[in-house]
């Protein structure tokens, strides 16, 4: 069975070294079986200057490779310079904007755009309202269950619905930086300590179970969302696109695996085994899709040395 | 500045009105509001009676319908809006764009307040809701300093309301799935965070252990006060050390900065705690009524008697003071 879904590579949520960041996107442009690529700092505005230098070259390479390029906006906008940056990004006409905060949508003035997973779209009333304002594609919040996803997609044929299908699910964003706090630094003088954890800093329970990861001001699940076994249900629900969120692993291989399973060239079970080899040691989950709580069982057997 | 007080029950509403609240906020007894706890909140009849009681004392009632309607099942949220309007609510506190659109179109004369759950943290986001839906007041997220609040109040065309006391979200409100991750119960979808039904305490060799869902999230030595295990205020381990990673088990107390909030142009001050007891409501409302009356009269404020009412008897100014960040 083939499933006519597109693949979108989400923005890198972690603080990667600028050269690694650039090379990652060059390789994605050259090799990855993704249809769209979202680029841009979503988590912390302090990181932005590091990537600005490589931004034009990355954009050019992705466009030349035929990828649909989305430029992602910051999720939590409080400072003046963050407001200005968000406005500039929204007003530029060289790219399609992926809005991750209402303040970005406020500047779009009805022009076509994409809505990222950090804008709250929980139901068809909201999805339809945003679609009427120019949202062509909406990536739904990761915590939505399949039932809600299906209801939104069924009622919103005027926009493509995208689902967060691979990667550590973002769970929270704060004005406070937990990387800085753990290193006993002030946020304004953080020394970019988050760069030491390109896949997030693990946070364990008092019983030594892996639980969360911290990424500066953002908190994510320790587990890796992986919906490769759920593709039939997602296809049934008329989901147009799957989001693959970059982790510190071979994302070209991740995309290739999803593509093969989507195209019916690889059984889903084999895809699951492939992904476990590509991104080892991190338990996978589809709990949000299935409306289940996380169990400690999922974390057993993983040492927290 | 108006004093906005919580009521989880009709009795708490009457208590808050009698103690000097300018307005009471409350919700219906279902998933349409962000304090969907067992035994809490109002039936339709109780809401009508509560509004009548408040209006007799010239107090207002703001009805919180501030969760995100369930996809494919939005009717309970639409009914909550219709019924709150019919009951004479002075304002609806709403967060979901689709629901705000419904309320603005179905009841164009109804005053709407933007809930903190909408996480509108800057003038552009707030302006979006004012322009599109005629929002009259925004409840600001607890991620801003007083200086940032002042700048926002100057830049927007609606009133501002800020939290001054009670539970403190460390994460941006309405954008947090921590509880959902651990318990399957979500603030945005179910109106609950770290629900008591998923909390277990047990004694382990002189240590009190608290568990949420399937995870151990705190251990208290004998004699150490045990705070409620809200997920962002519990102990974790990392390679850099163990302890309260996100925030200590503290609650917000902004009594010390009321003059600063007034100077910032804030319209209304909000007390958190619809789930708290009547005694708490009465103590906190009376305490802040005295503070505000003294402030308005240009007198020295009375000594802060609120400390005993804070959760775990430990308080913070949260993000209002920049050092928090």
């Amino acid at each position: 069975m083939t499933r006519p879904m597109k693949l979108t590579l989400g923005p890198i949520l972690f603080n990667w070294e600028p050269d690694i960041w650039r090379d990652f996107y060059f390789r994605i442009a050259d090799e990855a079986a993704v249809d769209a690529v979202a680029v841009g700092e979503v988590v912390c505005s302090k990181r932005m200057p590091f990537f600005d230098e490589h931004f034009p070259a990355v954009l050019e390479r992705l466009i030349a490779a035929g990828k649909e390029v989305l430029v992602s906006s910051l999720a939590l906008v409080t400072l003046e310079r963050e407001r200005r940056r968000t406005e500039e990004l929204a007003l530029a006409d060289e790219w399609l904007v992926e809005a991750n905060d209402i303040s970005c949508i406020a500047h779009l003035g009805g022009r076509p755009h994409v809505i990222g997973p950090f804008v709250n779209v929980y139901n068809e009333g909201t999805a339809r309202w945003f679609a009427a304002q120019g949202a062509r594609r909406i990536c739904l919040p990761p915590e939505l269950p399949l039932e809600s996803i299906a209801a939104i997609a069924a009622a919103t044929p005027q926009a493509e619905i995208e689902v967060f299908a691979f990667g550590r699910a973002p769970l929270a964003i704060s004005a406070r930086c937990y990387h800085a706090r753990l290193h006993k630094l002030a946020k304004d003088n953080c020394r970019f300590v988050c760069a030491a954890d390109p896949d997030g800093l693990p946070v364990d329970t008092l019983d030594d179970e892996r639980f969360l990861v911290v990424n500066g001001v953002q908190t994510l699940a320790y587990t890796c969302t992986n919906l490769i076994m759920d593709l039939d249900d997602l296809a049934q629900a008329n989901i147009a696109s799957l989001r693959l969120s970059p982790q510190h692993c071979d994302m070209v291989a991740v995309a290739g695996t999803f593509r093969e399973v989507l195209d019916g060239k690889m059984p889903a079970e084999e895809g699951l085994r492939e992904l476990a080899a590509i991104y080892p040691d991190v338990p996978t989950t589809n709990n949000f899709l299935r409306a289940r709580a996380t169990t400690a069982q999922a974390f057993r057997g993983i040492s927290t040395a | 500045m108006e004093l906005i007080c919580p009521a989880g029950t009709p009795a708490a509403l009457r208590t808050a009105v009698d103690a000097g609240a300018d307005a009471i906020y409350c919700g219906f007894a279902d998933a349409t509001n962000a304090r969907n706890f067992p035994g809490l909140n109002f039936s339709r009849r109780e809401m009508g009676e509560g509004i009548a009681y408040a209006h007799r004392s010239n107090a207002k009632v703001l009805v919180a319908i501030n969760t995100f309607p369930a996809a494919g099942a939005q009717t309970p949220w639409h009914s909550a809006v219709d019924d709150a309007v019919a009951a004479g609510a002075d304002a609806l506190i709403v967060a979901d764009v689709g629901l705000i659109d419904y309320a603005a179109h179905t009841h164009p004369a109804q005053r709407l307040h933007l809930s903190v759950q909408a996480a509108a943290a800057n003038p552009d986001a707030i302006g979006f809701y004012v322009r599109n839906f005629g929002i009259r007041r925004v409840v600001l997220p607890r991620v801003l300093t007083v200086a940032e609040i002042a700048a926002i109040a100057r830049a927007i065309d609606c009133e501002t309301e800020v939290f001054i006391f009670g539970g403190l979200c460390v994460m941006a409100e309405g954008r947090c799935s921590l509880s959902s991750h651990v318990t399957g119960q979500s603030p945005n979808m179910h109106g609950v965070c770290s629900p008591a039904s998923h909390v277990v305490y047990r004694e382990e060799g002189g240590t009190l252990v608290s568990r949420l869902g399937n995870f151990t999230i705190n251990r208290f030595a004998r004699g150490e006060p045990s705070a409620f295990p809200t997920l962002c205020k519990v102990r974790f381990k990392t390679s850099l050390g163990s302890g309260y990673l996100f925030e200590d088990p503290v609650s917000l107390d902004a009594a010390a900065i009321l003059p600063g909030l007034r100077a910032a142009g804030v319209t209304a001050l909000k007390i958190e705690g619809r789930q708290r007891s009547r005694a708490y409501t009465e103590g906190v409302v009376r305490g802040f009524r005295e503070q505000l009356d003294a402030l308005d009269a240009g007198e020295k404020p009375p000594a802060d008697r609120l400390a005993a009412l804070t959760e775990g008897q430990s308080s913070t100014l949260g993000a209002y003071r920049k050092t928090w960040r």
Side-chain angles (χ1 to χ4, degrees):
Chain A
M1 169 181 179
T2 64
R3 308 164 186 90
M5 278 183 261
K6 292 197 278 195
L7 293 177
T8 298
L9 186 77
I12 297 169
L13 299 175
F14 304 96
N15 187 10
W16 290 5
E17 294 296 331
D19 289 352
I20 290 171
W21 187 92
R22 176 199 58 199
D23 293 347
F24 172 83
Y25 283 116
F26 282 0
R27 184 159 174 253
I28 289 292
D30 297 347
E31 300 176 35
V34 295
D35 304 280
V37 180
V39 186
E41 180 56 44
V42 169
V43 174
C44 178
S45 63
K46 290 185 69 180
R47 300 172 182 170
M48 286 172 172
F50 296 114
F51 309 116
D52 283 351
E53 174 193 354
H54 296 311
F55 193 74
V58 161
L59 228 55
E60 190 183 334
R61 184 91 154 233
L62 289 167
I63 291 166
K67 307 299 184 197
E68 181 187 39
V69 175
L70 316 172
V71 179
S72 298
S73 79
L74 195 64
L76 178 59
V77 179
T78 58
L79 305 177
E80 276 307 307
R81 64 176 161 78
E82 295 169 347
R83 286 178 68 198
R84 278 197 304 276
R85 173 89 178 208
T86 303
E87 182 176 10
E88 284 162 18
L89 188 153
L91 295 180
D93 46 17
E94 303 99 291
W95 51 60
L96 195 59
V97 172
E98 173 170 286
N100 285 305
D101 185 48
I102 290 287
S103 58
C104 182
I105 297 174
H107 291 301
L108 284 164
R111 284 181 298 129
H113 62 274
V114 169
I115 290 183
F118 300 95
V119 172
N120 281 340
V121 180
Y122 277 85
N123 53 63
E124 63 275 23
T126 300
R128 292 168 67 89
W129 193 90
F130 281 127
Q133 300 285 312
R136 295 199 333 210
R137 191 183 313 144
I138 300 170
C139 181
L140 299 175
E143 74 164 347
L144 274 179
L146 179 62
E147 191 185 16
S148 296
I149 292 168
I152 293 168
T156 321
Q158 57 272 52
E160 296 178 347
I161 300 301
E162 181 170 292
V163 170
F164 190 96
F166 180 88
R168 290 184 155 150
L171 299 178
I173 191 145
S174 175
R176 181 174 245 183
C177 177
Y178 303 110
H179 255 100
R181 184 166 147 91
L182 275 167
H183 285 267
K184 303 193 180 349
L185 295 168
K187 185 179 172 189
D188 288 345
N189 182 28
C190 68
R191 298 184 213 155
F192 301 99
V193 285
C194 56
D197 298 298
D199 220 23
L201 173 69
V203 173
D204 304 334
T205 69
L206 297 179
D207 289 341
D208 296 317
E209 292 142 337
R210 293 297 204 201
F211 191 52
L212 304 167
V213 299
V214 156
N215 169 37
V217 296
Q218 185 182 50
T219 304
L220 304 93
Y222 181 81
T223 46
C224 180
T225 293
N226 184 344
L227 304 187
I228 202 150
M229 298 296 287
D230 304 288
L231 299 182
D232 286 337
D233 285 342
L234 294 170
Q236 187 85 37
N238 284 319
I239 298 311
S241 177
L242 302 178
R243 170 158 302 222
L244 312 177
S245 189
Q247 296 300 149
H248 202 242
C249 66
D250 185 348
M251 289 303 295
V252 170
V254 169
T257 304
F258 268 90
R259 190 73 267 162
E260 294 222 343
V261 175
L262 284 173
D263 291 346
K265 293 173 183 163
M266 183 191 287
E269 294 77 9
E270 192 184 332
L272 188 66
R273 282 194 299 273
E274 289 277 321
L275 292 171
I278 296 164
Y279 192 45
D281 303 332
V282 178
T284 61
T285 182
N286 60 357
N287 276 343
F288 278 147
L289 190 77
R290 300 298 170 187
R292 282 191 298 250
T294 298
T295 60
Q297 267 76 14
F299 300 81
R300 296 261 158 79
I302 295 159
S303 84
T304 60
Chain B
M1 290 184 287
E2 291 175 30
L3 187 58
I4 316 293
C5 305
T9 62
L13 179 143
R14 294 191 295 270
T15 300
V17 169
D18 297 346
D22 294 305
I24 313 299
Y25 68 103
C26 50
F28 292 119
D30 57 29
T32 62
N33 83 90
R35 289 289 183 279
N36 179 25
F37 297 165
L40 217 58
N41 298 317
F42 289 61
S43 70
R44 266 47 180 178
R45 187 176 56 81
E46 289 167 340
M47 188 65 80
E49 291 168 359
I51 290 171
Y53 185 91
H55 284 178
R56 280 197 293 276
S57 295
N58 285 322
K60 292 176 178 151
V61 174
L62 321 177
V63 178
I65 309 169
N66 59 346
T67 49
F68 294 80
Q74 300 180 102
T75 308
W77 281 264
H78 293 173
S79 301
V81 166
D82 298 340
D83 295 346
V85 173
D90 295 284
L92 311 183
I93 307 172
V94 280
D96 178 67
V97 165
L99 189 65
I100 297 172
D101 182 51
Y102 173 84
H105 277 94
T106 314
H107 308 285
Q110 178 64 49
R111 184 179 168 94
L112 300 178
H113 291 184
L114 188 65
S115 170
V116 70
Q117 297 301 114
N122 64 65
D124 306 311
I126 297 162
F128 169 90
Y129 291 101
V130 172
R131 266 198 322 279
N132 286 299
F133 308 115
I135 287 281
R136 305 279 292 280
R137 179 183 295 177
V138 57
V139 185
L140 292 174
R142 283 160 277 193
V143 298
L144 300 162
T145 63
V146 175
E148 286 167 348
I149 290 168
I152 287 174
R154 278 194 303 273
I156 62 175
D157 297 320
C158 72
E159 302 166 355
T160 52
E161 180 171 309
V162 301
F163 281 92
I164 52 167
F165 197 82
L168 171 72
C169 279
V170 185
M171 310 300 183
E173 297 92 336
R175 306 179 100 176
C176 181
S177 313
L178 284 174
S179 171
S180 188
H181 177 56
V182 179
T183 68
Q185 296 290 301
S186 144
N188 285 359
M189 294 192 288
H190 307 105
V192 294
C193 174
S194 311
S197 54
H198 289 61
V199 175
V200 176
Y201 292 95
R202 69 168 179 243
E203 192 79 16
E204 274 180 18
T207 304
L208 182 66
V209 175
S210 64
R211 287 173 63 81
L212 179 66
N214 295 295
F215 297 95
T216 296
I217 52 172
N218 218 335
R219 284 205 177 89
F220 301 97
R222 200 183 294 279
E224 185 185 1
S226 59
F228 186 82
T230 305
L231 207 39
C232 54
K233 298 181 200 76
V234 298
R235 287 183 171 114
F236 296 110
K237 283 185 180 178
T238 75
S239 56
L240 294 162
S242 305
Y244 292 103
L245 166 64
F246 299 115
E247 179 56 288
D248 296 342
V250 293
S251 61
L252 178 71
D253 181 1
I257 59 164
L258 296 181
L261 291 172
R262 185 167 69 170
V266 167
T267 306
L269 306 171
K270 184 166 212 159
I271 296 166
E272 186 274 348
R274 282 189 276 151
Q275 72 283 14
R276 302 294 295 266
S277 68
R278 264 173 72 191
Y280 168 89
T281 305
E282 170 151 38
V284 176
V285 176
R286 281 203 194 287
F288 274 105
R289 184 77 270 161
E290 288 173 11
Q291 299 273 331
L292 285 178
D293 288 347
L295 191 64
D296 286 343
E299 294 164 6
K300 189 171 172 298
D304 187 356
R305 294 187 283 108
L306 301 165
L309 294 162
T310 58
E311 238 168 281
Q313 281 96 60
S314 172
S315 70
T316 175
L317 275 167
Y320 292 139
R321 212 171 37 195
K322 194 160 187 302
T323 49
W324 184 77
R325 311 203 300 215

